[in-house]
Amino acid sequence: MIKLIVTDMDGTLLNDQHELHPDFWKMEQALTEKGIIFSVASGRQFYNLESKFERIKDRMLFFAENGTHVVRNGEEIYVNQLNREAAKNFIEIGRKIEGAQLVLCGKTSAYVECDDEEFINEIQQYYKRLKLVENLDDVEDTILKVTICDFKGVEEHTFPHFKKFQGDYKVAVAARIFLDITSATANKGNAIKRVQKELNISPEETLVFGDYLNDLEMMENAKYSYAMKNAHSDIISASKFITSFDNNDNGVLKTIEELGLLSEEEVKTGS
């Protein structure tokens, strides 16, 4: 029996316009009434996720910032921070990459030192708390990750500059234009594993959905691991199943229906 559902946000639960399907709220209500925990695991900031699910935030489980900041029922239960000196080193390298912009992700806010309009418009979709500072090196906060935004595409243009740090740190291509760097133990999979232990939920009782490379470890911690139809090829290879529908066609919710976790009537009424 499924007791825990964990889904990525962008490219997975959300459509390409970053919207939740209107049926989501009824389905989440019905799952909650059955005792199934519905949660999201995202590279997004916790405060962004909290605002996205404002009406149910007090019963939600959030794996924010790629699993470095975990909050359940309004209570912070886990933080996995990045060494400050390492963060400064990644920032220095990122500054030298032509066209790349940096986001320093802290526990209380995200920080940028560039006010380029295209860049700011893009990242404001993922960070509710965002501050412009003169120098990222001077930020005083608990550091969760360093994110590099590169509109040319990070997999080929940005990742090679940080590849050598793999092993000592987690270097993840989170989306076509985002590269995330966290501590070596920080990923969605490890965060899920920790929560599974605390809640006495096994991988056999866990269902996950993902689409991009920062979802890889998540696939290893669930018997029911689903790559989205629109997922990166490596995620498709790592998962046990593939959704029949993509993120723009409500793939997550339709798969939950297909698995029989909710009846048609429950989907319609939310109870």
Side-chain angles (χ1 to χ4, degrees):
M1 175 183 173
I2 300 298
K3 295 182 179 179
L4 174 65
I5 298 174
V6 188
T7 177
D8 174 52
M9 287 284 282
D10 299 282
T12 304
L13 183 62
L14 305 182
N15 63 22
D16 288 349
Q17 286 71 50
H18 308 288
E19 300 166 333
L20 285 165
H21 192 278
D23 289 346
F24 167 79
W25 304 104
K26 291 185 292 184
M27 182 169 283
E28 188 278 337
Q29 176 68 35
L31 289 169
T32 297
E33 290 177 2
K34 280 180 168 284
I36 300 172
I37 299 171
F38 186 91
S39 61
V40 293
S42 174
R44 286 174 178 248
Q45 182 187 62
F46 164 68
Y47 307 103
N48 174 282
L49 295 174
E50 183 184 47
S51 65
K52 198 83 172 173
F53 297 94
E54 177 68 28
R55 58 203 273 191
I56 57 172
K57 65 179 183 180
D58 290 335
R59 68 171 183 246
M60 281 284 290
L61 172 57
F62 297 108
F63 298 92
E65 305 276 17
N66 287 341
T68 63
H69 191 189
V70 182
V71 177
R72 181 171 184 252
N73 300 343
E75 180 182 351
E76 180 180 283
I77 61 174
Y78 177 57
V79 171
N80 190 335
Q81 67 185 82
L82 176 63
N83 177 276
R84 182 172 295 277
E85 290 306 311
K88 288 183 177 182
N89 184 40
F90 299 141
I91 289 167
E92 186 60 31
I93 294 170
R95 285 173 177 148
K96 296 175 182 177
I97 302 173
E98 183 181 357
Q101 305 293 354
L102 295 155
V103 185
L104 182 62
C105 306
K107 195 175 82 167
T108 59
S109 181
Y111 307 86
V112 295
E113 57 186 11
C114 169
D115 61 357
D116 176 80
E117 184 176 3
E118 182 183 19
F119 168 60
I120 295 298
N121 287 342
E122 180 65 32
I123 63 170
Q124 279 181 332
Q125 299 178 81
Y126 311 101
Y127 300 94
K128 182 175 178 61
R129 294 188 185 180
L130 183 66
K131 296 180 181 179
L132 177 66
V133 298
E134 288 188 10
N135 191 328
L136 292 177
D137 296 333
D138 298 332
V139 167
E140 293 293 333
D141 198 346
T142 298
I143 305 305
L144 302 175
K145 65 182 171 75
V146 174
T147 292
I148 297 92
C149 174
D150 191 335
F151 292 107
K152 296 178 183 177
V154 296
E155 199 161 357
E156 295 183 357
H157 188 243
T158 310
F159 175 73
H161 295 272
F162 297 95
K163 186 177 181 178
K164 64 183 178 181
F165 296 105
Q166 285 186 307
D168 294 324
Y169 299 91
K170 175 63 179 175
V171 183
V173 177
R176 188 189 70 81
I177 63 170
F178 289 117
L179 183 77
D180 291 339
I181 308 173
T182 57
S183 77
T185 58
N187 59 65
K188 296 179 183 181
N190 281 343
I192 290 170
K193 188 185 300 183
R194 178 170 177 144
V195 169
Q196 285 171 327
K197 184 177 181 180
E198 290 184 6
L199 299 179
N200 195 29
I201 295 174
S202 69
E204 289 72 27
E205 297 168 318
T206 305
L207 165 64
V208 300
F209 296 91
D211 77 307
Y212 231 84
L213 300 180
N214 59 335
D215 298 323
L216 273 172
E217 291 84 1
M218 191 164 71
M219 298 294 156
E220 300 168 0
N221 285 281
K223 176 180 178 180
Y224 303 95
S225 58
Y226 275 83
M228 299 301 293
K229 184 178 180 181
N230 51 285
H232 189 287
S233 59
D234 288 356
I235 293 295
I236 290 176
S237 297
S239 67
K240 297 182 181 72
F241 308 98
I242 305 170
T243 63
S244 301
F245 303 91
D246 65 20
N247 67 306
N248 288 315
D249 200 12
N250 201 18
V252 169
L253 302 191
K254 286 182 177 178
T255 301
I256 290 172
E257 286 184 57
E258 289 173 355
L259 290 171
L261 297 181
L262 296 174
S263 67
E264 185 175 347
E265 184 62 26
E266 287 171 325
V267 173
K268 288 180 180 178
T269 64
S271 62

